[in-house]
Amino acid sequence: LDSLYTHSCRYSEHFIVNTRLVNYVDYMTWRFKNKDISLHAGYADLRYGGFIPQSKVQNFLIQLNNSTEQKIFFQSLSTRSMEVYFSIWLNQYPYLIFNPLLSLGRDSFKNIDTYDAISTLESSLQNNSLFDYFERTELSPSTEERDVRSSCANDRCLFITNIDTMPSIANEDYPQFNSELTTNTSQYEIFFQNQFNNSIPNKAIYAHRSYHKAVDQDTETCWNSVHYPKEGDYFGLYMTGDIRAKRVILYTPTTDFEEEFESLDELFRVSIQFVPFGSWTDCELKSTPFTQLSYRIGFDFECLNQSNNRSPFKSIRIHFKRDLNRAFELCGIGLDNFVV
């Protein structure tokens, strides 16, 4: 939980939740949007741990007792159903961190129905009552700006990338939730899948090549970007502490770049962040000819702070300088002797 706690300190107002790899596609599908009434909600399972501000829990308790009728209704719900309402009624997209978590028994969605919770939220936002206690403003960073995807296996870092496998909520074609057109969650899922049929990865396959596979300390398992990286896309690490390093090793089967580029600095650039929320400093790449092994590529880099000193840094990003014509696979990252 160290890495999750580090992330929660960075974004203390967010609902930050551990989520199983096998549930990635489902939970990313269960994000609901209607910009006309400021609806921007999603579901997250609380069973695997998470961080949430105390004020948001207190606000939910106030909502439960908003009326006698509402109080009686919630007393009839199971704990599992109550969690669904809590997650949806935050009216914020959960910040989901995907990790290989163990479950006591099989994960089952048969007792999870988000429809009642989301339709009640929709009705309250439409009525625009001053006393419904629902948030109207979406928290920053938005889902498009979020880049933390998974905890490293050693719990000493977080894997970051701006490459999102699922369709962006900012997409104009993203379904607008409307209970008059959608009568249950299954119907919404079918509509979502039809809308983005070619953009949604296969659930079973993606569980074996999801974000965590890049930082699970097993170079035989790999994260697959699914989409072709574009110029400006990046991946990297956000450390729970600080680290000093001058060399990057990328464990990847995608090593045939010498056919297109003479050196790695034509393909990659590196930037680091010395302090949380600080500016990003571009680094100079060194030792970049393609004298690499078949399963890894590496290069030295030098980053100086404002005092021209080599200081420990908090985060590192490896950016693509060119569009790729294929998906990118990453099986591990090394920073000097630190390898995940």
Side-chain angles (χ1 to χ4, degrees):
L1 286 175
D2 286 352
S3 55
L4 200 67
Y5 174 72
T6 299
H7 187 44
S8 71
C9 291
R10 192 182 184 194
Y11 297 117
S12 57
E13 289 302 307
H14 280 268
F15 181 27
I16 298 174
V17 194
N18 256 330
T19 305
R20 298 186 73 205
L21 305 178
V22 294
N23 301 142
Y24 171 81
V25 174
D26 292 297
Y27 291 179
M28 296 297 278
T29 300
W30 294 348
R31 297 186 296 180
F32 306 96
K33 166 186 175 181
N34 188 326
K35 60 184 179 182
D36 294 334
I37 58 173
S38 299
L39 189 154
H40 31 68
Y43 172 73
D45 194 331
L46 291 169
R47 285 184 293 173
Y48 306 107
F51 290 89
I52 184 72
Q54 183 180 10
S55 60
K56 294 184 184 295
V57 179
Q58 292 172 331
N59 187 70
F60 181 64
L61 294 176
I62 292 173
Q63 290 174 317
L64 298 187
N65 295 280
N66 215 8
S67 67
T68 302
E69 181 180 349
Q70 193 157 287
K71 186 176 181 179
I72 294 172
F73 168 71
F74 279 107
Q75 286 176 343
S76 68
L77 294 179
S78 66
T79 302
R80 192 88 168 107
S81 298
M82 193 76 76
E83 288 180 355
V84 174
Y85 275 86
F86 174 72
S87 179
I88 296 292
W89 279 20
L90 289 172
N91 198 27
Q92 300 290 347
Y93 299 119
Y95 206 137
L96 302 172
I97 309 298
F98 295 93
N99 291 317
L101 305 161
L102 297 177
S103 174
L104 295 175
R106 296 175 57 189
D107 264 341
S108 175
F109 296 141
K110 65 181 181 180
N111 295 321
I112 299 177
D113 188 357
T114 60
Y115 185 78
D116 286 344
I118 192 65
S119 58
T120 305
L121 172 62
E122 176 198 41
S123 176
S124 296
L125 294 174
Q126 287 172 335
N127 294 334
N128 201 25
S129 169
L130 295 176
F131 305 105
D132 60 20
Y133 300 95
F134 290 113
E135 296 182 5
R136 262 64 173 185
T137 303
E138 184 180 352
L139 288 173
S140 179
S142 66
T143 54
E144 292 73 42
E145 298 170 310
R146 299 176 189 180
D147 62 1
V148 174
R149 307 295 180 178
S150 182
S151 298
C152 299
N154 60 11
D155 208 24
R156 294 171 59 189
C157 58
L158 293 148
F159 178 63
I160 61 175
T161 179
N162 72 314
I163 302 174
D164 195 340
T165 309
M166 292 291 283
S168 169
I169 292 178
N171 193 318
E172 289 298 323
D173 295 330
Y174 201 92
Q176 298 284 310
F177 180 82
N178 186 333
S179 60
E180 294 182 359
L181 303 176
T182 306
T183 57
N184 54 63
T185 303
S186 297
Q187 189 178 9
Y188 176 84
E189 289 175 343
I190 293 171
F191 182 63
F192 183 90
Q193 290 165 0
N194 291 338
Q195 191 83 350
F196 299 111
N197 184 47
N198 297 324
S199 303
I200 302 174
N202 179 280
K203 295 180 185 180
I205 295 176
Y206 193 71
H208 298 287
R209 57 181 188 179
S210 57
Y211 297 114
H212 185 75
K213 302 302 181 181
V215 288
D216 62 357
Q217 296 187 310
D218 182 354
T219 56
E220 298 297 318
T221 61
C222 310
W223 163 61
N224 187 296
S225 66
V226 180
H227 305 303
Y228 299 173
K230 303 294 184 183
E231 179 183 352
D233 286 343
Y234 64 85
F235 59 90
L237 299 176
Y238 177 67
M239 311 301 296
T240 57
D242 297 331
I243 190 171
R244 292 180 186 269
K246 60 181 180 180
R247 184 166 179 77
V248 170
I249 298 291
L250 304 179
Y251 294 87
T252 172
T254 319
T255 57
D256 56 346
F257 297 121
E258 65 270 20
E259 299 176 4
E260 303 171 56
F261 309 102
E262 293 183 3
S263 61
L264 287 171
D265 56 3
E266 292 184 27
L267 176 61
F268 296 118
R269 70 176 179 88
V270 172
S271 63
I272 64 172
Q273 193 179 49
F274 289 105
V275 295
F277 298 108
S279 58
W280 288 89
T281 301
D282 286 333
C283 306
E284 179 184 357
L285 269 63
K286 300 181 176 181
S287 304
T288 61
F290 279 96
T291 55
Q292 314 297 333
L293 298 176
S294 61
Y295 61 91
R296 72 181 190 185
I297 54 180
F299 48 85
D300 294 338
F301 65 96
E302 184 176 61
C303 306
L304 302 179
N305 62 16
Q306 293 179 344
S307 302
N308 289 326
N309 296 321
R310 294 185 182 87
S311 300
F313 54 87
K314 188 72 176 177
S315 304
I316 183 169
R317 289 176 176 174
I318 296 96
H319 305 255
F320 292 96
K321 295 176 69 174
R322 306 284 185 87
D323 294 354
L324 294 191
N325 59 8
R326 57 197 179 282
F328 182 74
E329 290 188 277
L330 183 65
C331 315
I333 304 177
L335 298 175
D336 287 359
N337 294 325
F338 179 87
V339 180
V340 289

